[in-house]
Amino acid sequence: GQQVMQIPQYQHVQEGEDFTTYCNSSTTLSNIQWYKQRPGGHPVFLIQLVKSGEVKKQKRLTFQFGEAKKNSSLHITATQTTDVGTYFCAGPVSAGGTSYGKLTFGQGTILTVHP
Amino acid sequence: DADVTQTPRNRITKTGKRIMLECSQTKGHDRMYWYRQDPGLGLRLIYYSFDVKDINKGEISDGYSVSRQAQAKFSLSLESAIPNQTALYFCATSSRAFSYNEQFFGPGTRLTVL
């Protein structure tokens, strides 16, 4: 079945350093979504990317979708303590162009930021 | 999101007990999901439902059952709890009206099976 792999599993940075997490799918995705889960909280939808090569920015966060629509990345510039949490990518489960209305989540990257 | 609620928020139980986790939503979404989260394993889908009469198994449904009592309510049951079902459980909702199926999560239920 479809697999979504995410690396690294953990990332520790000093405040002000940059951070990147990478997501790779075993199949071509129609879109990719990113979620953030604060410590003790629940996943919250951040963004979705749809087009091949698409790049979107949300303040210090930059999201990219690969040309082949099988990989994606999230880059945070100059991390702050408010960025701590787990970042998940997720891709829709589909086959033959038919979407099954469910997502496959990556394992997540746990980001800690040291002040 | 306050629009998706889960009860209880924490539960400690013993092996062999039957447990029900409940999820309610006021978003008016037709799709509901149950996930479990374990460290290093991300979010794994247990069951999902696209409407009251449409319930489907996810990737890890063994040992679990669900009930969609109404469009707004989706319950997860552990018929005979075992320790490896200790995890954080999330309910989520979505709508077929969304082009890309973004999901909205409840606050989670932390379940410990002794």
Side-chain angles (χ1 to χ4, degrees), chain A residues 28-97:
Chain A
T28 301
L29 301 171
S30 60
N31 70 88
I32 193 154
Q33 302 176 18
W34 287 90
Y35 292 77
K36 177 182 178 180
Q37 181 181 21
R38 295 182 184 276
H42 58 276
V44 175
F45 174 79
L46 292 177
I47 204 165
Q48 67 200 8
L49 305 171
V50 178
K51 299 176 182 177
S52 171
E54 187 171 14
V55 178
K56 286 189 175 181
K57 293 189 176 184
Q58 290 181 346
K59 298 183 180 178
R60 293 176 295 103
L61 278 62
T62 301
F63 303 85
Q64 293 188 325
F65 200 12
E67 293 290 341
K69 302 183 77 172
K70 294 183 72 174
N71 61 287
S72 181
S73 65
L74 159 59
H75 179 82
I76 302 179
T77 302
T79 54
Q80 300 176 358
T81 54
T82 54
D83 294 325
V84 298
T86 303
Y87 292 85
F88 293 100
C89 61
V93 177
S94 62

Side-chain angles (χ1 to χ4, degrees), chain A residues 12-18 78-83 112-115:
Chain A
H12 309 281
V13 300
Q14 289 292 131
E15 190 172 20
E17 292 181 340
D18 291 357
T79 54
Q80 300 176 358
T81 54
T82 54
D83 294 325
T112 57
V113 179
H114 301 285

Side-chain angles (χ1 to χ4, degrees), chain A residues 33 35 37 42 48 100-101, chain B residues 1 33 37 50 100-101 103:
Chain A
Q33 302 176 18
Y35 292 77
Q37 181 181 21
H42 58 276
Q48 67 200 8
Y100 292 104
Chain B
D1 290 284
Y33 307 80
Q37 183 176 24
F50 287 170
Y100 303 110
N101 198 41
Q103 297 185 6

